[in-house]
Amino acid sequence: MTQIVWFKRDLRLQDHSALWHAAQSGTVLALYIFEPDYWQLDDTSQRQWAFTREALIDLNKQLKRLGGELICMSGDAVLRFNKLAETLTIQGVHSHEETGNLWTFTRDLKLKKLLRNSDISWREYPQNGVRRPNGNRDDWASHWNRWMTQTQYPIPDHIKFLTLDRKENFLKPEQLPERISCQLPSVQQPQKGGREEGVKILSDFLNQRGEYYRGSISSPLTAETGCSRLSPYLAVGCIGMRELVQAVRNRRRAAEGRWKASLSAFESRLWWHCHFIQKLEDQPDMEVQNLHPLTEQLNRPFDEEKFEAWKTGNTGWPMVDASMRYLIANGWVNFRMRAMLISIASYPLALPWQPVSRYLASLFTDYEPGIHYPQVQMQAGTTGINIPRMYNPILQAQRLDANGLFVRRWVPELQQVSDQWIFEPWLMPRAIQENSNCMIGEDYPAPLVDFSVATRKARTDLKAVRDSDFFATAQSIGEKHGSRKRTSSRRMTGKKKARSAGQMTLF
C-alpha cells in the first residue's frame, strides 16, 4: 500500500507534516511533477524554474541520505496521477496546502475529483499558518500565533521507500529540463536554490546582517544586504515558515538594542506574509478580478507604448527606470521599489493592473502568488480598504538615493549628469544636456506624462467612484480580508473602518 508524498512548493524534509504522516502510514513514494503548461504561463519564468530545479536537486540529496530518492514525472499532473493509480496500489496522497495561482487552484480541483473517484484519500496539511477554511478573520492572529508555537515535525527516523522495478516513466531531478523559456534575460547574480543554501542565508541574517534590518530595507542601496533575502526559499518551501518564526524568536531572546528591534520588525513582517496569503486563499479570483467591483470603473485602458516603456525601464523617471532595470537583472528588488513600480504603472500611467501584475510576477524569482496579487491590488488602489499610495519618483529618489548612486549604476545614460539634475534630467537646459552627454529624447526619454497632472487626474477618478455604495462594499471587504492586528474591527465602523483595514505594508 503506497503513500505518495507530492512535493510542490515545500521542497524540504524539516517540519514536513505530509512526509511525516506518510512515513507513519506505509511505503513512501516521494514525487515531484514537472508541469510544462504551468511553466509557460505569463506569471512564471525561467528564473523561477532555475531556482526550483536547484532546490529539487538539493531535496533529492536529502532524501538519498535517508535511503530514498525523489521520483520526478513530466506532464499534466492529473494524467500522471491517473497513470500511477493504474500501476500502483495507492492508499493515500499527502501534500501541503498550496495557495497558488488560479492555474494550480483549478488543477487541484480536477485532481481532487480524480482521486475521489478512484477511492484514494488526499490529505493536505497547512504549512505557513494560513487557515483552510477560514471562517472569520477576528481570531486569525491568535490562530497564526498558536500554529507558529507548535512543535515542528521531525524528519522521520525511518522511512520505507517504494522500490520501483521499472523507471522508464520516471526522471531524476537532474534529468528535468534546464531551460524552459527564453522570455527573460538570465539573472546576473542569481540566488542558489536549495535548503542548504537557504539555511546558510538564514544563519548569516540572524547572526551577521540582521542587526541593521530595520533601517536598511527601504533604500535599494542598503536593502540588497540588509533584507533577509529568504523570500525565494520561503516561496518554494526550502525553509518552512514555522521553522523560520521559531528561529527568529529564539534569536530574539538573547538580542538587545538594535538587534532586538530589527528582529521584532522582521517577525512582524512574517505575520504580514501569511496575512496576505490568506487573502488569496479566501478569494482565488483576486488574481484577475478587482477586489472592490466599483474600482472597475476607473479609466485605465491598456496602452502598449506606455506599458513597453514601463516594463523596460524607459519611463523617463530615473528612480523608476533604475528599479525596473535592477529587477530585470537580479530577479529581486526591495519591497519599497516594488510598490513604487506598481504605483507608477497604476496612477500616472493609468495602466490596468492585470498585465502589470503578470509581468512583475515573471520577473520575481521569489514569486509568491498569495503575496503578489493582494499587494498589486493594494498598490493599484483596487481593494477599497487601503489608502491609495501614489509614490512620487522624485521624492523617493531624494530620500532613498540622495547622491544618485543607484540611479547612475542602473541608468548609465545619466552617468555624467550632476546631482542637481540627476532625478529630473528633463529639466536640464540644452547646453547642460550636451555637457552631460545626455540629450533628453535621444539618449534618455522625457517622462511619459506630467506626474502632477496625471496623479491629480488619478485622484479625481478615484473620488468619482467613492460614493456611499463604495464604502458599504468596502466595509464587507474589510470584514473578510482586513487585518485585525492593530485595531479591533468591532471598535471601527463605516468609512474609517473601510479605509483602515489592512493599511500596513508587507515589507
Side-chain angles (χ1 to χ4, degrees):
M1 302 296 286
T2 303
Q3 305 289 333
I4 293 180
V5 179
W6 182 21
F7 287 91
K8 296 196 278 184
R9 293 193 298 130
D10 49 356
L11 306 182
R12 66 183 186 280
L13 303 184
Q14 180 65 37
D15 198 22
H16 199 290
S17 47
L19 177 64
W20 191 90
H21 283 284
Q24 314 309 308
S25 305
T27 303
V28 172
L29 172 64
L31 176 69
Y32 179 83
I33 302 176
F34 172 77
E35 300 168 274
D37 288 350
Y38 171 80
W39 290 107
Q40 295 303 315
L41 298 173
D42 289 342
D43 56 344
T44 63
S45 61
Q46 170 64 32
R47 52 188 60 188
Q48 296 163 14
W49 167 242
F51 187 90
T52 300
R53 186 176 182 274
E54 290 176 343
L56 290 167
I57 293 172
D58 183 73
L59 174 61
N60 196 36
K61 292 178 182 178
Q62 298 173 54
L63 287 166
K64 284 183 175 179
R65 288 195 284 267
L66 299 178
E69 63 179 326
L70 182 65
I71 301 299
C72 299
M73 302 181 78
S74 179
D76 181 279
V78 178
L79 296 179
R80 296 285 78 80
F81 268 102
N82 189 46
K83 186 69 174 178
L84 287 170
E86 291 175 354
T87 56
L88 300 174
T89 304
I90 303 172
Q91 186 177 32
V93 175
H94 303 258
S95 72
H96 279 120
E97 294 173 348
E98 180 182 11
T99 306
N101 60 13
L102 275 173
W103 191 95
T104 64
F105 177 74
T106 303
R107 173 206 61 198
D108 285 355
L109 291 179
K110 293 177 182 177
L111 182 60
K112 260 185 182 44
K113 183 178 180 180
L114 169 72
L115 296 177
R116 185 171 57 247
N117 292 340
S118 303
D119 291 324
I120 299 173
S121 68
W122 181 12
R123 292 187 61 186
E124 296 178 273
Y125 307 85
Q127 78 159 338
N128 52 18
V130 170
R131 185 163 57 181
R132 178 189 294 181
N134 181 45
N136 193 309
R137 269 283 183 167
D138 286 345
D139 67 339
W140 189 87
S142 57
H143 154 77
W144 183 88
N145 192 59
R146 284 194 305 272
W147 196 86
M148 292 303 164
T149 58
Q150 291 173 2
T151 302
Q152 297 178 39
Y153 283 92
I155 300 174
D157 294 330
H158 174 73
I159 303 176
K160 182 181 179 182
F161 288 99
L162 180 67
T163 301
L164 295 171
D165 296 328
R166 301 178 63 187
K167 295 187 177 181
E168 60 265 28
N169 294 321
F170 303 106
L171 301 168
K172 297 178 181 179
E174 294 85 352
Q175 294 174 313
L176 294 172
E178 290 189 40
R179 290 205 63 84
I180 57 165
S181 172
C182 298
Q183 66 193 62
L184 293 171
S186 299
V187 174
Q188 290 183 3
Q189 294 181 313
Q191 288 187 260
K192 182 176 174 58
R195 177 171 174 82
E196 182 178 355
E197 190 68 20
V199 170
K200 288 180 184 177
I201 290 174
L202 172 59
S203 177
D204 182 49
F205 177 69
L206 292 181
N207 297 292
Q208 301 293 330
R209 295 182 293 109
E211 181 177 6
Y212 295 93
Y213 172 84
R214 192 178 184 191
S216 63
I217 61 176
S218 293
S219 170
L221 290 170
T222 54
E224 186 171 328
T225 56
C227 287
S228 74
R229 304 308 304 272
L230 291 167
S231 52
Y233 302 96
L234 285 172
V236 302
C238 297
I239 294 175
M241 178 57 75
R242 178 160 51 198
E243 175 189 11
L244 178 55
V245 169
Q246 292 183 10
V248 172
R249 288 177 175 177
N250 288 337
R251 179 67 178 86
R252 277 182 65 192
R253 292 189 183 99
E256 297 179 350
R258 187 183 288 113
W259 262 111
K260 196 173 189 69
S262 285
L263 291 174
S264 177
F266 180 67
E267 183 182 333
S268 174
R269 282 154 179 81
L270 298 180
W271 187 95
W272 288 105
H273 176 111
C274 298
H275 161 76
F276 280 99
I277 296 177
Q278 186 70 63
K279 289 172 181 276
L280 190 65
E281 173 69 29
D282 294 343
Q283 193 161 339
D285 69 355
M286 197 184 299
E287 177 183 332
V288 293
Q289 298 292 333
N290 287 26
L291 187 58
H292 196 303
L294 288 181
T295 59
E296 294 177 4
Q297 299 174 15
L298 295 173
N299 184 25
R300 293 176 175 176
F302 182 73
D303 185 308
E304 182 69 44
E305 184 178 349
K306 289 180 180 177
F307 182 64
E308 190 65 25
W310 172 83
K311 70 184 286 191
T312 57
N314 286 287
T315 66
W317 292 302
M319 194 64 167
V320 175
D321 296 338
S323 298
M324 180 61 82
R325 296 182 194 187
Y326 178 94
L327 173 57
I328 292 171
N330 293 283
W332 180 91
V333 72
N334 63 315
F335 179 79
R336 178 68 68 87
M337 298 301 98
R338 298 186 190 205
M340 181 185 68
L341 288 172
I342 301 167
S343 174
I344 290 296
S346 301
Y347 294 115
L349 299 186
L351 291 167
W353 62 266
Q354 290 91 340
V356 166
S357 170
R358 289 190 291 270
Y359 178 67
L360 284 178
S362 71
L363 292 178
F364 296 145
T365 303
D366 60 3
Y367 170 47
E368 172 62 72
I371 296 175
H372 182 71
Y373 292 108
Q375 273 291 326
V376 168
Q377 290 221 38
M378 181 174 171
Q379 304 302 336
T382 56
T383 68
I385 60 173
N386 303 107
I387 296 174
R389 295 173 173 83
M390 299 185 187
Y391 287 81
N392 185 313
I394 301 167
L395 294 180
Q396 292 297 312
Q398 292 169 345
R399 292 170 182 168
L400 304 175
D401 186 30
N403 297 316
L405 297 177
F406 181 73
V407 163
R408 289 189 179 91
R409 186 179 307 155
W410 291 99
V411 187
E413 305 96 303
L414 303 176
Q415 282 269 326
Q416 298 179 45
V417 175
S418 69
D419 289 355
Q420 180 181 356
W421 307 103
I422 187 66
F423 302 132
E424 298 176 280
W426 61 92
L427 297 181
M428 289 189 294
R430 185 172 181 83
I432 295 179
Q433 293 182 36
E434 292 174 349
N435 290 337
S436 303
N437 290 319
C438 182
M439 301 303 296
I440 301 303
E442 298 176 15
D443 301 308
Y444 184 70
L448 294 169
V449 297
D450 183 299
F451 181 83
S452 297
V453 172
T455 51
R456 276 200 300 272
K457 182 180 185 305
R459 289 190 180 92
T460 301
D461 291 345
L462 281 172
K463 187 176 181 180
V465 303
R466 289 176 172 246
D467 56 16
S468 58
D469 290 338
F470 180 96
F471 288 106
T473 302
Q475 182 168 333
S476 65
I477 294 171
E479 289 288 348
K480 182 175 182 178
H481 294 294
S483 162
R484 310 291 196 268
K485 191 171 186 181
R486 294 210 167 234
T487 308
S488 169
S489 64
R490 292 188 177 90
R491 295 199 302 270
M492 300 173 64
T493 57
K495 186 179 296 187
K496 180 181 178 183
K497 181 175 184 177
R499 295 181 64 183
S500 297
Q503 286 179 19
M504 288 285 286
T505 57
L506 180 59
F507 295 118

